[in-house]
């Protein structure tokens, strides 16, 4: 890579493509880019944003899937082990086990949500693709029909223009008397 290319700033398109995706439907809808969204994505985001329970589940899953969640737990576990419990940490084990149960439930909720979303998107894409296939088939048939009509018209014109030139009077035969 040339030195000039390395010193140039990244284009806005490049920066936007590497931006963090919007994970929560309420934020996705508030981003003001509705026209850029797939219709199924928009419908799912509106559905999830309309329910308080789904908004809470989205917020928890978004936080639990972040590095902030990991850092918070490192600090909490370190403080707990150093300050609160001196023996083999039975209370901490109980807390971590309960948290694992709840987090695995949220993971399953997220997986079910993602599977339902993917199915709805696949159904929408299939319907749109089938509609386009029918349109393309109709257009191809129309083009084929028009091509034949043009061909027949040109053949008829050529035959009509060639007909007067081809008709030449037959030479008269001398009559014998």
């Amino acid at each position: 890579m040339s030195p000039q290319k390395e010193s140039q700033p990244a284009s806005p398109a490049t920066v936007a493509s590497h931006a963090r995706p919007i994970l929560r439907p309420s934020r996705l809808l508030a981003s003001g880019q509705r026209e850029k969204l797939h219709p199924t994505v928009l419908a799912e985001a509106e559905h999830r944003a309309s329910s308080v329970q789904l908004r809470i589940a989205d917020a928890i899953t978004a936080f639990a899937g972040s590095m902030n969640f990991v850092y918070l737990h490192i600090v909490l576990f370190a403080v707990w082990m150093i300050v609160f419990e001196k023996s083999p940490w039975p209370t901490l084990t109980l807390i971590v086990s309960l948290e694992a149960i709840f987090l695995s439930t949220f993971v399953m909720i997220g997986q079910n949500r993602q599977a339902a979303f993917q199915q709805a998107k696949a159904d929408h894409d299939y319907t749109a693709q089938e509609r386009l296939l029918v349109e393309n088939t109709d257009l191809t048939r129309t083009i084929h029909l028009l091509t034949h009509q043009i061909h027949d018209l040109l053949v008829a014109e050529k035959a009509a223009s060639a007909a007067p030139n081809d008709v030449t009077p037959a030479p008269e035969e001398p009559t014998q008397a």
Side-chain angles (χ1 to χ4, degrees), residues 8-162:
Q8 293 176 349
S11 69
T14 307
V15 173
S17 67
H18 295 295
R20 184 172 177 235
I22 301 172
L23 300 176
R24 292 175 52 189
S26 57
R27 289 185 184 169
L28 181 67
L29 294 172
S31 71
Q33 298 180 354
R34 289 174 171 248
E35 65 279 352
K36 293 182 181 179
L37 296 176
H38 189 282
T40 306
V41 173
L42 186 59
E44 182 67 18
E46 288 170 347
H47 167 70
R48 295 201 65 77
S50 67
S51 169
V52 174
Q53 288 181 337
L54 294 176
R55 285 196 313 262
I56 291 170
D58 287 335
I60 291 171
T61 353
F63 177 67
S66 70
M67 285 306 293
N68 288 335
F69 181 79
V70 174
Y71 299 143
L72 176 70
H73 278 77
I74 290 171
V75 170
L76 288 177
F77 292 159
V79 168
W80 188 276
M81 289 185 280
I82 293 170
V83 176
F84 293 110
E85 289 196 38
K86 302 296 181 205
S87 61
W89 309 304
T91 310
L92 179 62
T93 305
L94 175 66
I95 292 171
V96 171
S97 297
L98 289 173
E99 183 182 37
I101 291 168
F102 284 110
L103 286 177
S104 64
T105 303
F106 283 113
V107 167
M108 287 188 288
I109 289 170
Q111 288 175 339
N112 289 340
R113 179 188 75 193
Q114 187 65 27
F117 168 73
Q118 290 297 330
Q119 184 62 50
K121 186 174 182 304
D123 291 344
H124 177 274
D125 290 346
Y126 176 77
T127 304
Q129 187 177 12
E130 286 299 308
R131 182 180 43 81
L132 288 174
L133 179 63
V134 168
E135 286 178 19
N136 286 340
T137 302
D138 291 344
L139 285 173
T140 303
R141 286 183 180 142
T142 303
I143 290 170
H144 183 74
L145 178 67
L146 290 173
T147 303
H148 279 290
Q149 289 175 352
I150 290 171
H151 179 268
D152 293 343
L153 191 85
L154 289 174
V155 168
E157 283 180 8
K158 188 172 184 176
S161 67

Side-chain angles (χ1 to χ4, degrees), residues 1-10:
M1 192 179 257
S2 70
Q4 291 176 343
K5 287 187 178 181
E6 289 177 334
S7 64
Q8 293 176 349

